[in-house]
Amino acid sequence: MAYQNSPYGGYGGPGGFSSGMAQAGLPPGADPQLWSWFSAVDTDRSGAISAIELERALINGDWTPFDLDTVKLLMGMFDVDRSGTIGFNEFCGLWKYIKDWQNVFRYFDRDRSGTIDRNELRDALSRFGYNLSPPLIKLIQVKYASNVASNYGPALGITFDRFVRACVVIKQLSGAFQNLDTDNDGWVQISYDQFMQTVLSLP
Amino acid sequence: MAYQNSPYGGYGGPGGFSSGMAQAGLPPGADPQLWSWFSAVDTDRSGAISAIELERALINGDWTPFDLDTVKLLMGMFDVDRSGTIGFNEFCGLWKYIKDWQNVFRYFDRDRSGTIDRNELRDALSRFGYNLSPPLIKLIQVKYASNVASNYGPALGITFDRFVRACVVIKQLSGAFQNLDTDNDGWVQISYDQFMQTVLSLP
């Protein structure tokens, strides 16, 4: 399969779909470019994209595949009819979402390294409105980095797929906390069950 | 590389190291079997196992690789000297940990499917002392399953690597909650910073 000619793939790109070209069966009114990407990802020509097909199609800028957890996050968001697959209309939403995140990632990856380092992460989260302490920023960097922490070796960097997941997790967690914090004093009372449910609902 | 002869690999096995044989340079007093596994995983013969080498060596019973997050969890637990790699002594601890989890996984995978389904998960967590509500068990199953939820298709099953991660997360979360719940009434007061730190410290 000719899966090398991605406009977003290649070293230094933020990541996204790797894809060839396929134009057969264009539905009336559909964007031909989007349809060609959709058809290229739908390798078994079933008319819908399975999680496995999506996992195979999504690559980071350094050619590593997306984490299963990020693929599941995307399936959960865009498989609107809960069929277990992504139809063409659902794909259009997914495509736009990834394109928007690519722009965000490119913007904050100031040194064009292909990963988000700690300063870039701090800037991104601050721009999103999260005022997090330096120890929290460090925790997020260590948790979502695509390599492990060591006393030497390359700095911890977050690839595109894990950056998206990190941002979604922080948004979801902060939102859940705010909903509980009805008097807005930065403290909440929470039961074991609520606590577990909040955390286990994260992607 | 002859990485097919794993005593724990193969369909239906719970997962673990895939490995060949290597006996050169056995340190005095070292278990020859363990040394041979260690040397086989240390493919660049550097004398220590990097995260990438560990990631390549660890496979589930269905031959899928371990998630990066599980590899990072194991590195974080067993890279005691924070060198960023696993030396032979650290490897002995890691090996035992995985062997113990293999036994746990085999015990609860009653139908020998190679994955943990919802009933098996409920039994395992209950045996570990966690009395979780059915909606919570369902959340854990959906979050850690290696496939996505759909209205049809195969049931959600959790592979070995994700089962270990799920159990570690539930243990760590429950422990953190209990530490905060000083009067033991099932409710805690928690600040935004504490809340975020607790969750972002999870593997």
Side-chain angles (χ1 to χ4, degrees), chain B residues 110-170:
Chain B
R110 295 262 157 75
D111 63 0
R112 297 277 177 272
S113 65
T115 60
I116 297 289
D117 64 29
R118 192 180 308 176
N119 289 336
E120 292 166 347
L121 178 67
R122 189 199 56 219
D123 292 351
L125 293 173
S126 148
R127 192 68 76 91
F128 298 156
Y130 301 109
N131 194 1
L132 304 175
S133 64
L136 266 186
I137 301 279
K138 190 181 169 188
L139 261 184
I140 299 166
Q141 182 199 19
V142 169
K143 180 173 170 61
Y144 289 100
S146 311
N147 49 347
V148 298
S150 72
N151 294 326
Y152 56 88
L156 292 169
I158 305 175
T159 46
F160 178 73
D161 62 329
R162 295 175 70 89
F163 176 70
V164 172
R165 189 146 60 92
C167 294
V168 171
V169 161
I170 288 152

Side-chain angles (χ1 to χ4, degrees), chain A residues 144-161:
Chain A
Y144 290 100
S146 310
N147 49 347
V148 298
S150 72
N151 295 327
Y152 56 87
L156 292 169
I158 305 174
T159 46
F160 177 74
D161 63 328

Side-chain angles (χ1 to χ4, degrees), chain B residues 180-201:
Chain B
L180 290 167
D181 186 15
T182 46
D183 64 355
N184 218 15
D185 69 347
W187 286 82
V188 297
Q189 260 224 318
I190 189 167
S191 71
Y192 178 67
D193 210 71
Q194 276 179 311
F195 179 72
M196 296 296 273
Q197 269 204 33
T198 304
V199 178
L200 294 166
S201 305

Side-chain angles (χ1 to χ4, degrees), chain A residues 170-181 188 190 198 202, chain B residues 195:
Chain A
I170 289 152
K171 188 185 173 195
Q172 203 169 310
L173 265 180
S174 300
F177 190 92
Q178 270 184 330
N179 283 343
L180 290 167
D181 185 15
V188 297
I190 189 168
T198 303
L202 297 171
Chain B
F195 179 72

Side-chain angles (χ1 to χ4, degrees), chain A residues 112-130:
Chain A
R112 295 279 177 269
S113 65
T115 61
I116 296 290
D117 63 29
R118 193 180 307 174
N119 289 336
E120 292 166 348
L121 178 67
R122 189 201 53 218
D123 292 350
L125 293 173
S126 149
R127 193 67 76 92
F128 298 156
Y130 301 109

Side-chain angles (χ1 to χ4, degrees), chain A residues 72 82 142 151 162 174 192, chain B residues 72 82 142 151 174 192:
Chain A
K72 286 178 68 177
R82 289 284 169 268
V142 170
N151 295 327
R162 295 174 71 89
S174 300
Y192 178 67
Chain B
K72 286 178 67 179
R82 289 285 168 266
V142 169
N151 294 326
S174 300
Y192 178 67

Side-chain angles (χ1 to χ4, degrees), chain B residues 28-188:
Chain B
D31 179 326
Q33 176 67 68
L34 271 183
W35 177 254
S36 92
W37 289 108
F38 176 77
S39 304
V41 177
D42 176 25
T43 48
D44 70 356
R45 298 284 181 267
S46 66
I49 294 171
S50 67
I52 290 168
E53 287 172 338
L54 191 60
E55 204 172 1
R56 279 196 205 117
L58 290 167
I59 51 156
N60 289 302
D62 63 356
W63 297 102
T64 54
F66 276 30
D67 276 336
L68 174 60
D69 288 300
T70 308
V71 175
K72 286 178 67 179
L73 161 68
L74 296 171
M75 291 289 295
M77 288 178 83
F78 293 99
D79 175 23
V80 182
D81 62 4
R82 289 285 168 266
S83 61
T85 57
I86 300 285
F88 179 65
N89 287 336
E90 292 168 339
F91 179 77
C92 296
L94 170 61
W95 177 265
K96 187 182 177 318
Y97 186 77
I98 289 181
K99 258 186 81 171
D100 290 347
W101 272 112
Q102 284 171 334
N103 290 331
V104 169
F105 188 93
R106 268 202 206 94
Y107 179 83
F108 287 106
D109 180 23
R110 295 262 157 75
D111 63 0
R112 297 277 177 272
S113 65
T115 60
I116 297 289
D117 64 29
R118 192 180 308 176
N119 289 336
E120 292 166 347
L121 178 67
R122 189 199 56 219
D123 292 351
L125 293 173
S126 148
R127 192 68 76 91
F128 298 156
Y130 301 109
N131 194 1
L132 304 175
S133 64
L136 266 186
I137 301 279
K138 190 181 169 188
L139 261 184
I140 299 166
Q141 182 199 19
V142 169
K143 180 173 170 61
Y144 289 100
S146 311
N147 49 347
V148 298
S150 72
N151 294 326
Y152 56 88
L156 292 169
I158 305 175
T159 46
F160 178 73
D161 62 329
R162 295 175 70 89
F163 176 70
V164 172
R165 189 146 60 92
C167 294
V168 171
V169 161
I170 288 152
K171 187 183 173 197
Q172 203 168 311
L173 264 181
S174 300
F177 189 92
Q178 269 184 330
N179 283 343
L180 290 167
D181 186 15
T182 46
D183 64 355
N184 218 15
D185 69 347
W187 286 82
V188 297

